[in-house]
Amino acid sequence: MSSGIQIKPKTAVQKSKTSSPLPCSPEPPIKPQPKPSDKLNPKTIDPFGAHSRPPSAFAAIYAKGGIPCRLVHGSVKHRLQWECLPETVPFDPLLVTLAEAHSDDEVFGRGLDALVQLSAVVGPSLNDHLKHLLTNLSRRLMDKKFREKITVALQKLEQYGGKTTVAIIKSKIPTYCSISS
């Protein structure tokens, strides 16, 4: 029983054409040539592909469980479910993370109001965390639409925090004028 098919052994020339270069071989792998249609059809973003932008610091900390609350999705309303009482949440690093997470103007304004309200409640206890918060405030102080609001907030922080607060504010924002002087 013999078949009519004969298999010829590959010659050395055929073997070198079909084999791929070894990782340690001195010959670099051949790169594919660009197609002429590539110029007419530029690369576009795939909306269903993996996102190339890394998550924000807030998103990363939230995903790791570093923020002691979860968003509970309802059919109509969403709500926050706290793992501990909000009054017992430590300021650092949570407050700093929340302050740095948003650059939106409306969110910044609300955060500034919340900072003043928090200062009214905790007073000088906020001084330990003030340096981290003042970095963002000093950046936004140059923006005309926030200059007055930030100045008022700094004055409130000074009022509720005492003389130590003035020294901390001056260390980060040297142009600040104290309300007590």
Side-chain angles (χ1 to χ4, degrees):
M1 289 181 25
S2 67
S3 64
I5 301 174
Q6 292 180 347
I7 301 175
K8 293 182 184 178
K10 289 185 179 180
T11 63
V13 174
Q14 289 174 333
K15 285 182 182 178
S16 67
K17 286 182 181 177
T18 59
S19 64
S20 62
L22 297 173
C24 60
S25 104
E27 293 180 30
I30 299 171
K31 294 183 181 177
Q33 294 293 323
K35 296 179 251 172
S37 62
D38 287 345
K39 291 180 182 177
L40 299 173
N41 300 322
K43 298 282 183 193
T44 57
I45 297 172
D46 181 10
F48 303 108
H51 297 291
S52 61
R53 190 173 70 177
S56 66
F58 175 80
I61 291 172
Y62 179 81
K64 290 179 184 176
I67 298 177
C69 69
R70 294 285 164 246
L71 184 61
V72 179
H73 296 276
S75 60
V76 178
K77 293 182 180 179
H78 306 304
R79 61 183 178 86
L80 283 178
Q81 179 180 354
W82 289 90
E83 296 169 5
C84 60
L85 292 173
E87 296 84 23
T88 62
V89 175
F91 290 131
D92 191 22
L94 183 61
L95 188 62
V96 175
T97 302
L98 292 173
E100 291 175 346
H102 299 286
S103 60
D104 183 27
D105 290 347
E106 184 180 349
V107 174
F108 178 77
R110 289 180 183 175
L112 195 58
D113 292 339
L115 179 63
V116 170
Q117 291 174 9
L118 181 66
S119 177
V121 173
V122 298
S125 300
L126 192 60
N127 288 346
D128 295 337
H129 313 284
L130 207 51
K131 283 186 180 180
H132 303 292
L133 299 170
L134 288 173
T135 304
N136 286 330
L137 292 181
S138 67
R139 280 188 220 135
R140 293 283 187 127
L141 195 58
M142 300 303 157
D143 191 351
K144 287 182 181 179
K145 60 183 159 186
F146 288 114
R147 186 175 298 145
E148 185 177 341
K149 190 168 186 168
I150 290 174
T151 304
V152 170
L154 290 172
Q155 291 170 348
K156 293 287 185 181
L157 289 171
E158 177 186 352
Q159 178 184 347
Y160 300 131
K163 290 187 178 190
T164 309
T165 305
V166 176
I168 296 169
I169 293 173
K170 286 255 188 202
S171 71
K172 290 290 184 177
I173 306 172
T175 58
Y176 175 71
C177 296
S178 173
I179 56 175
S180 61
S181 49

